[in-house]
């Protein structure tokens, strides 16, 4: 048995032609580790949200290509590259909003194309790049946790949304990594975590991670955010992001925008924490595809129908927070501050 409490396993790994991942749909009641040699199984896991969270999705996408390359029966490079293109198209069709997925697929494919000497060379290049991306994810999250924790002071009351911890990345996490790091540094903090309807990433996953880390916290329903801001003295909000645009728009889990507006109203600082791989310097806000998922996620709770038969639901799962509500964006290269048109391109390129 793989023991996550002993830190034997990351949320997703690739070893000897196999991918192993924690099926987060089963948490907190069951810690199921899926092991597969089939790239299609990993693509399904991304689509079904057994693997979710922008950085984890990115690495899972890279591992999908690594599995395809590792087990490919192609005897020439042309065959292998076209097989990889087909797998890339499958992966790109799984989830539309998290830019890390598209970034990861392009990065691995360009390695494959650049190393087209022979089948073995392409195989090695693809697997090597995917493994490098997983290692980088851990290091980038570690750096963000240190930088972000410097923003947290004794006495801070922090609100967080969705799940942005180790379960949403390869390890450590983005916004939750920052919060847990601050607590481990001895800072006296209290956290409010939203349950995050409809998939309940907060209630199921963030609560599980905060409890394991020993951080003092309470879970709240999403609609309690206004009262909690007004009555419980929230000083800072830390959230993750699925895509951050050049001008500072933050695309993240549905509900983030209303939290940012409430934070402004109540004088709380609002930070997004995301690696530079989440920054999209190309897209305009109107071009961003907001994922809509199955209506049943809203009409039912844990598979039990709540709404009357015949009722329809609209289920967008991300929203867009305008830059004017964002106090700062924490990345592995530092904190971007307004004006974002200037700071974000610099930080994305590693210049400050
Ligand atoms: O639909 P999900 O669960 O993949 O959405 C996740 C989020 O919105 C997270 O906030 C985001 O990916 C940042 S993860 C570190």
């Amino acid at each position: 048995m793989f023991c996550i409490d002993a830190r034997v396993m990351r949320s997703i790994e690739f070893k000897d032609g196999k991918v192993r991942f924690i099926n987060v749909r089963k948490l907190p009641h069951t810690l199921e580790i899926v092991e597969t040699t089939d790239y299609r199984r990993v693509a399904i896991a991304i689509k079904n949200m057994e693997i979710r969270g922008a950085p984890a999705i990115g690495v899972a996408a890279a591992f999908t290509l690594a599995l395809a390359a590792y087990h490919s029966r192609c005897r020439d490079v042309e065959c292998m590259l076209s097989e990889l293109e087909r797998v890339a198209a499958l992966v790109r069709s799984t989830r539309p909003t998290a830019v890390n997925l598209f970034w990861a697929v392009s990065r691995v494919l360009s390695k494959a194309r650049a190393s087209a000497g022979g089948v073995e060379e392409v195989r090695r290049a693809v697997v090597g790049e995917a493994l490098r991306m997983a290692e980088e994810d851990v290091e980038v999250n570690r750096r963000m946790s240190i930088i972000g924790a410097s923003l947290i002071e004794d006495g801070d009351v922090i609100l967080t949304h969705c799940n942005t911890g180790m379960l949403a990345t390869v390890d450590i996490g983005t916004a939750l990594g920052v919060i847990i790091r601050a607590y481990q540094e001895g800072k006296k903090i209290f956290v409010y975590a939203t349950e995050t309807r409809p998939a309940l990433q907060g209630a199921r996953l963030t609560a599980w991670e905060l409890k394991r880390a020993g951080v003092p916290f309470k879970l709240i329903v999403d609609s309690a955010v206004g009262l909690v801001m007004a009555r419980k003295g929230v000083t800072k909000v830390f959230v993750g992001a699925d895509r951050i645009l050049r001008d500072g728009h933050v695309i993240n889990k549905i509900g983030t925008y209303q939290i940012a507006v409430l934070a402004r109203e109540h004088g709380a600082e609002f930070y997004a924490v995301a690696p530079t791989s989440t920054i999209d310097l190309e897209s305009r806000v109107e071009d961003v595809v907001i994922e809509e998922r199955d209506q049943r996620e809203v009409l039912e709770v844990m598979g039990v129908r709540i709404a009357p038969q015949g009722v329809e639901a609209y289920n967008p799962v991300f929203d867009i927070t305008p830059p004017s509500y964002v106090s700062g964006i924490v990345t592995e290269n530092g904190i971007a501050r307004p004006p974002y048109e200037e700071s974000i391109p610099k930080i994305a390129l590693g210049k400050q």
Side-chain angles (χ1 to χ4, degrees):
M1 183 65 198
F2 312 105
C3 180
I4 192 170
D5 281 324
R7 313 298 293 136
V8 172
M9 195 188 160
R10 293 172 169 179
S11 69
I12 182 162
E13 297 175 344
F14 179 100
K15 201 167 172 221
D16 301 330
K18 289 185 197 127
V19 167
R20 288 194 315 173
F21 63 88
I22 297 171
N23 177 359
V24 301
R25 283 187 79 106
K26 297 279 174 80
L27 282 171
H29 304 299
T30 308
L31 179 57
E32 180 185 280
I33 316 282
V34 177
E35 186 170 276
T36 182
T37 55
D38 184 355
Y39 70 84
R40 294 175 203 83
R41 177 68 187 88
V42 183
I44 288 168
I46 299 172
K47 198 171 178 63
N48 287 347
M49 293 174 67
E50 292 166 277
I51 300 168
R52 36 68 50 201
I57 290 172
V59 171
F63 283 173
T64 310
L65 288 161
L67 275 185
Y70 192 97
H71 297 288
S72 173
R73 298 211 173 137
C74 284
R75 287 161 178 253
D76 61 71
V77 169
E78 207 179 313
C79 163
M80 188 139 183
L81 289 180
S82 59
E83 187 175 350
L84 289 173
E85 295 284 355
R86 279 197 303 278
V87 176
L90 171 73
V91 177
R92 287 194 187 104
S93 72
T94 54
R95 294 196 73 187
T97 306
V99 78
N100 304 59
L101 184 145
F102 303 93
W103 165 84
V105 169
S106 307
R107 190 170 141 176
V108 174
L109 275 186
S110 42
K111 268 282 170 203
R113 290 191 203 107
S115 59
V119 166
E120 277 316 313
E121 197 190 321
V122 177
R123 204 187 315 271
R124 265 199 306 276
V126 168
V127 173
E129 189 68 353
L131 288 171
R132 215 168 2 259
M133 288 167 78
E135 292 309 316
E136 279 175 20
D137 188 68
V138 180
E139 176 53 19
V140 154
N141 284 314
R142 196 187 63 80
R143 276 162 49 195
M144 287 193 302
S145 73
I146 296 168
I147 295 168
S150 71
L151 294 166
I152 297 177
E153 298 156 292
D154 266 343
D156 269 337
V157 178
I158 297 169
L159 190 135
T160 191
H161 187 52
C162 197
N163 172 259
T164 60
M166 63 86 66
L167 296 168
T169 60
V170 176
D171 208 347
I172 299 174
T174 59
L176 202 59
V178 164
I179 294 168
I180 291 174
R181 169 93 192 194
Y183 175 72
Q184 287 169 346
E185 286 175 358
K187 293 185 179 159
K188 294 185 178 27
I189 57 171
F190 192 86
V191 177
Y192 286 97
T194 60
E195 61 171 353
T196 320
R197 280 278 291 150
L200 300 170
Q201 293 94 329
R204 295 185 302 104
L205 310 176
T206 301
W208 187 76
E209 292 200 49
L210 285 171
K211 187 163 176 271
R212 283 176 68 228
V215 179
F217 78 102
K218 279 191 180 163
L219 196 61
I220 56 170
V221 297
D222 300 344
S223 41
V225 170
L227 186 82
V228 168
M229 292 261 185
R231 291 274 178 98
K232 299 291 181 186
V234 172
T235 50
K236 287 173 186 138
V237 174
F238 284 90
V239 295
D242 280 72
R243 198 182 280 244
I244 292 174
L245 304 187
R246 161 189 286 275
D247 61 4
H249 280 92
V250 172
I251 294 102
N252 191 48
K253 181 50 55 194
I254 193 79
T256 304
Y257 176 29
Q258 60 207 36
I259 293 172
V261 174
L262 282 162
R264 165 64 49 82
E265 179 66 21
H266 293 281
E269 293 164 32
F270 178 95
Y271 293 100
V273 184
T276 51
S277 53
T278 300
I279 296 175
D280 172 3
L281 294 175
E282 308 301 325
S283 303
R284 293 171 309 161
V285 67
E286 53 275 25
D287 299 332
V288 175
V289 178
I290 296 293
E291 179 180 4
E292 286 178 36
R293 295 186 67 87
D294 195 316
Q295 297 185 44
R296 281 176 302 179
E297 290 183 357
V298 177
L299 300 170
E300 299 174 355
V301 174
M302 294 289 156
V304 177
R305 178 92 188 185
I306 303 297
Q309 292 299 333
V311 168
E312 289 183 10
Y314 168 50
N315 185 21
V317 296
F318 295 98
D319 64 21
I320 304 172
T321 299
S324 57
Y325 292 104
V326 181
S327 312
I329 295 168
V330 179
T331 75
E332 74 276 21
N333 292 338
I335 304 172
R337 298 273 188 185
Y340 291 117
E341 288 276 9
E342 284 175 24
S343 62
I344 288 181
K346 281 192 201 151
I347 232 155
L349 301 170
K351 300 179 201 150
Q352 265 220 83

